Amino acid sequence: MSMYRERVHRGTAKATVLRTVGTRERRSHLTAPRVPTVGIDIGGTKVMAGVVDADGNILEKLRTETPDKSKSPKVVEDTIVELVLDLSDRHDVHAVGIGAAGWVDADRNRVLFAPHLSWRNEPLRDRLAGRLAVPVMVDNDANTAAWAEWRFGAGRGEDHLVMITLGTGIGGAILEDGQVKRGKFGVAGEFGHMQVVPGGHRCPCGNRGCWEQYSSGNALVREARELAAAESPVAYGIIDRVGGNISEITGPLITELARSGDAMCVELLQDIGQWLGVGIANLAAALDPSCFVIGGGVSAADDLLIGPAREAFRRHLTGRGYRPEARIVKAQLGPEAGMVGAADLARLVARRFRRANRRRVERYERYTRAGRG
């Protein structure tokens, strides 16, 4: 990835003067036009937007907070439009791709459900396409991150790839032969809600024993805080670090202490990694990919997490010793993966916009020649 210009978005008062020019067009990434596009990554706490070229390089990036506790989908849509308009002042934008933290329908138009936002069956693509003068593509953020890793990162050259994103929960995506597998209804890849412990920890999804309750950022922090609250001798190091304020225990802090040798933090990451390996073995039995790419914030723990995951994967893999083993690798593109992937997927629909612009120019030229005559 090349160097890029990064700015913090403060908001603008520009009027919205854009409208759609057409519906999306399925195109191979190999034949997509090599034009700059904007990728948007929408999470529960931030909206990140960037102009990305055809080689996955970020030319400029903006970041703003997700509107606080917004109950109106339009407030988030306004934020997206302002970011795109800001970037379009300095870049020739040909399409916009959006990676949303939620369920997106198979037509990649509606956000069926977003756990951290107020979107419920929201026609996000059509609403934004009605305000932006370029084609809009909407997809789940794990799908866009997986696409970026396959195109430009750790998954390059893989025919069958599964991505696991470890953050607050667990997300995921499946790619086969250059296609994101979204399922009949568009919500494939929700691996975090596979049940691994019947009757286990309650999950916000409503069920018990979901995988993400044992291998995620939330699981890591929960275990550390429980030990600290119980004043376990093994937790004295982290208790001292936060001055007894248990609510200040976070995933990045646990990783930092583990790297410095704190035994409890190392053990907690090993536990999370082992559960990660168990879940990956289950996915290998079902999907048989050649590579698992591990991304998300928790993956910053590197081999403190992925080493135990590989060991557990080998122990629990069906038919172990008699079948090829998938590679398990850390994602390479970091927190920008979802944004880069959204921009690259949007490039597949940019051709229609270019054709429409060319027709406009041709009509204008014909009109000008007729006027002269």
Side-chain angles (χ1 to χ4, degrees), residues 136-152:
V136 175
M137 187 283 311
V138 177
D139 209 338
N140 170 265
D141 58 348
N143 288 343
T144 62
W147 180 268
E149 292 290 344
W150 176 69
R151 287 274 283 128
F152 309 113

